[in-house]
Amino acid sequence: MSIVYLACLLVALGAMVLLDARFRLVFWRDARRATIVLALGLVFFLAWDVAGIALGVFARGGSRFMTGIVVAPELPLEEVFFLLLLCYLTLVLIFGVRRLLDRPAPGSTDAVDASPVRRGSGG
């Protein structure tokens, strides 16, 4: 029994939170909507996993890097955090790419003029 995989997932989630906070992409843009979308995505994928387990498609594999804790038959604790990371990563990527595509190209007429404005006694 080990927490290596869970720790890696938590570190990756922490990195996603830092990216989100730095660029105000998901939770720092609209926390209520982000919570709803993330919760819906997590519920959807957990239901998908449960259906796969019930049909015999998915099974919990053994690994010395996992905690061994299961939240449901054949559903390890790490799977919940993996799905959370997957959903959060998707949101960060969508809004990050959107922000990059919405930026004006350098030298375009849409770019803000950065030249200093001269003010003084008319002339």
Side-chain angles (χ1 to χ4, degrees), residues 112-119:
V112 176
D113 185 13
S115 62
V117 176
R118 293 185 179 205
R119 293 188 182 153

Side-chain angles (χ1 to χ4, degrees), residues 26-116:
V26 182
F27 280 97
W28 276 260
R29 172 181 269 187
D30 189 341
R32 186 181 67 79
R33 284 186 188 177
T35 302
I36 292 168
V37 171
L38 196 61
L40 287 173
L42 185 59
V43 167
F44 172 81
F45 283 114
L46 283 173
W48 181 281
D49 275 4
V50 168
I53 290 166
L55 292 171
V57 176
F58 301 149
R60 181 176 62 113
S63 172
R64 61 188 174 113
F65 300 110
M66 296 175 62
T67 61
I69 299 170
V70 292
V71 294
E74 300 296 319
L75 185 65
L77 175 65
E78 291 85 356
E79 181 71 6
V80 176
F81 286 95
F82 172 73
L83 294 174
L84 183 64
L85 174 67
L86 181 70
C87 293
Y88 194 21
L89 173 64
T90 301
L91 289 172
V92 168
L93 284 174
I94 287 170
F95 286 105
V97 168
R98 177 189 278 177
R99 176 161 303 164
L100 286 174
L101 293 176
D102 287 348
R103 287 173 45 181
S108 72
T109 58
D110 294 339
V112 176
D113 185 13
S115 62

